[in-house]
Amino acid sequence: NIFFADDGGVQRGKVAYDHSADSMTLRSGNNDSLVIDSAGHITKPLQSAFNATSATQSNVTGDETQYQMTFGTETIDRNADFNTNGTFTAPVTGLYLLSANVGGGGFSSHTRMLNFIVTSNRTYIATLENLANTHNGNSFGFNVSCLADMDANDTAFVQVRVDGGSKVIDLDDTCRFSGCLIA
């Protein structure tokens, strides 16, 4: 073990090798930050990551207006960087892998639907075309994913928009928004 401390008492940093498990741990800020196991697998227990699901959101309106989705159930939220209004805040500058899956139904004569991941730096868009012909009254599901360059305190959230028809659809409880810091 190699220990680091500011006042000679508390071990704020550490490089440790566990002979019985053949693993190595790097500690910073009094937390295990990186662990390498005997097979070479690297885990970062404090690496920012989140996954959240939505409740059913009925009568979502569109037609040239984006609807910001909420994701009230967090299944993963390392470091508390995601809030249940549906916004992720980047804790540090880096590259983030973000993904939003949107599903629902209630199409009538809608012409298309757009799924957005909106970040402070840019907007990423996926489009589902010909809704009236292929999904009339039926359910749908589609995904938008991106590798987003985010600065510390930049935000990301999900929006949807439908064009044409009644301008109203229903989003079901299978919608997900997830992301993680990768570099």
Side-chain angles (χ1 to χ4, degrees):
N1 292 316
I2 301 171
F3 298 102
F4 304 90
D6 292 332
D7 60 9
V10 177
Q11 300 169 9
R12 304 283 301 159
K14 174 171 78 170
V15 177
Y17 186 79
D18 181 343
H19 287 281
S20 63
D22 286 333
S23 66
M24 181 168 282
T25 302
L26 298 176
R27 178 175 273 228
S28 63
N30 207 28
N31 294 297
D32 290 350
S33 301
L34 182 104
V35 178
I36 306 169
D37 73 9
S38 62
H41 301 114
I42 299 170
T43 57
K44 298 181 253 179
L46 301 177
Q47 188 81 342
S48 184
F50 71 94
N51 185 58
T53 60
S54 69
T56 299
Q57 298 173 58
S58 300
N59 301 318
V60 173
T61 60
D63 198 29
E64 307 298 323
T65 303
Q66 279 82 266
Y67 172 81
Q68 185 167 334
M69 296 185 64
T70 58
F71 295 87
T73 303
E74 299 173 18
T75 56
I76 300 168
D77 189 7
R78 288 199 180 153
N79 299 324
D81 301 319
F82 184 82
N83 64 39
T84 55
N85 74 1
T87 302
F88 167 72
T89 303
V92 296
T93 298
L95 296 175
Y96 291 82
L97 179 61
L98 303 172
S99 179
N101 182 277
V102 175
F107 290 115
S108 58
S109 57
H110 299 91
T111 55
R112 72 176 178 166
M113 182 172 176
L114 295 98
N115 183 359
F116 304 88
I117 294 177
V118 180
T119 70
S120 299
N121 295 329
R122 69 187 44 86
T123 299
Y124 304 87
I125 305 170
T127 305
L128 191 58
E129 298 282 351
N130 300 316
L131 295 178
N133 297 331
T134 59
H135 297 281
N136 194 12
N138 297 317
S139 62
F140 68 94
F142 72 113
N143 187 57
V144 59
S145 296
C146 63
L147 183 61
D149 181 14
M150 298 179 75
D151 299 318
N153 297 313
D154 279 357
T155 58
F157 53 87
V158 176
Q159 292 180 329
V160 296
R161 183 178 101 196
V162 292
D163 293 337
S166 67
K167 303 173 188 73
V168 176
I169 60 168
D170 298 323
L171 300 173
D172 62 34
D173 61 359
T174 62
C175 299
R176 295 190 182 281
F177 183 31
S178 59
C180 64
L181 173 65
I182 61 168

